[in-house]
Amino acid sequence: MTPRDVSAYLFLAIAWGLSFMCVVQAVHGFGWAGAVAFRAFIAAGTLLLIARLRRKRLDFSCGIKPLAIVGATTVAGQLVFLSYGMPLIGTAMSAILVATIPVFSMLIARVWGVERLNGGAVAGIALGALGILLLVGFPAVPVTADFVIGCAATLVATFSAAFGSVYAGRRLKGVGTSEATIGAFISGGLISLPLLILAPVPGVPGLADIAALVTLGVVMSAATYVLYFGLINSIGPTRAISVEFAVTGVAVLVGTILLGEPLSVPQIAGAVVIGLGCALVLGLVRLPRGKRPEEITPPAASNG
């Protein structure tokens, strides 16, 4: 784990944690389908412009299929269902469910044999899941049909994100981060665009709606996904996706500070547990190793 990886990890946690507020605003102005499709095109366009200004030659020799699959899952699948479900269940509940992404990722990675996880990584994921329960809990709200649909949609989003991340680690290893991000967002945008038939833009977006959408596209998609695909190549998909534990923590802190939501002692304890879980997954903290049999000193022989 290099300092660059740690910096990228922290930036992702902060940016994606703040993105919950921007998603709500963008969906308000553009609808759940428009918010995703336009965000994806803004992200891809931003990276294409940067590449052109830097005179960087992009290499898409990996083919369309892997980029389309990553775009369909990590971009369209995740963002469409998350944008649809979040207004139905709220940002807090969405943050809780988003934290299941690393668990799905670990299970998929182990089934596919993409990466082997040591005891520390497994323990870290378990701690992260426990920390989420302590951190935000489940709100006392009526269980309506919309609530159930919103939870189901968000869980589909989390599974899509996990699947896409593991697939990217398996099929896009060695592909440039700019190419992977551009290809994924163009594919995801094209897949999401027809959904505007089902959920058209509700009206003329306001300046706050436009600002939120541009921020999502430029900062919280173009910049973050380049770093994210880089982390997948560097530390593996499961360890990279464990950032979602920290994202939930940041989202709750933002809600507490900016939205005035109370933070209880169990929630503070949950934040500490999440931090320890992330450290274990990333290898910053290691579980103590027991002595090997040959290292154990045998008891002295009795002379009696």
Side-chain angles (χ1 to χ4, degrees):
M1 187 71 179
T2 66
R4 181 176 180 179
D5 292 334
V6 174
S7 298
Y9 193 91
L10 292 175
F11 179 79
L12 290 175
I14 295 171
W16 282 343
L18 293 172
S19 72
F20 281 83
M21 295 173 55
C22 293
V23 168
V24 171
Q25 187 67 51
V27 170
H28 173 268
F30 295 90
W32 55 266
V36 175
F38 301 148
R39 170 185 180 177
F41 290 137
I42 290 173
T46 299
L47 292 175
L48 284 170
L49 178 60
I50 292 173
R52 184 174 181 83
L53 292 175
R54 295 176 58 189
R55 297 182 179 179
K56 178 181 179 180
R57 184 176 180 180
L58 299 174
D59 180 11
F60 293 100
S61 59
C62 62
I64 296 176
K65 181 179 177 180
L67 294 174
I69 292 176
V70 174
T73 52
T74 304
V75 177
Q78 176 184 195
L79 299 182
V80 164
F81 284 102
L82 184 62
S83 297
Y84 178 81
M86 188 180 298
L88 299 178
I89 63 177
T91 56
M93 179 63 76
S94 297
I96 297 171
L97 297 179
V98 161
T100 62
I101 294 177
V103 178
F104 286 136
S105 179
M106 180 192 71
L107 296 175
I108 295 170
R110 296 194 71 175
V111 169
W112 281 1
V114 174
E115 60 179 327
R116 297 179 62 185
L117 301 179
N118 57 28
V122 175
I125 291 173
L127 279 177
L130 173 62
I132 293 300
L133 296 177
L134 292 172
L135 184 61
V136 289
F138 288 86
V141 296
V143 181
T144 63
D146 283 346
F147 182 81
V148 173
I149 292 172
C151 288
T154 306
L155 283 173
V156 172
T158 62
F159 184 83
S160 295
F163 183 93
S165 296
V166 178
Y167 182 88
R170 185 179 187 183
R171 296 298 303 274
L172 296 183
K173 198 169 184 64
V175 177
T177 55
S178 294
E179 288 86 343
T181 307
I182 292 170
F185 273 104
I186 290 178
S187 301
L190 291 173
I191 293 170
S192 306
L193 194 60
L195 296 176
L196 281 167
I197 299 174
L198 299 177
V201 176
V204 179
L207 291 178
D209 304 326
I210 296 172
L213 182 67
V214 172
T215 301
L216 284 171
V218 176
V219 179
M220 297 168 179
S221 294
T224 56
Y225 272 77
V226 167
L227 294 175
Y228 178 61
F229 284 126
L231 271 183
I232 289 177
N233 287 331
S234 177
I235 65 176
T238 299
R239 289 173 175 81
I241 202 65
S242 72
V243 72
E244 295 295 351
F245 287 142
V247 167
T248 299
V250 172
V252 172
L253 290 176
V254 168
T256 302
I257 297 173
L258 299 182
L259 303 179
E261 298 176 356
L263 189 64
S264 65
V265 173
Q267 289 174 318
I268 295 174
V272 174
V273 172
I274 286 173
L276 179 58
C278 290
L280 283 168
V281 170
L282 295 171
L284 300 177
V285 174
R286 299 184 183 277
L287 292 176
R289 297 178 61 183
K291 291 185 177 181
R292 297 178 182 178
E294 61 269 19
E295 295 175 344
I296 300 177
T297 304
S302 174
N303 293 324

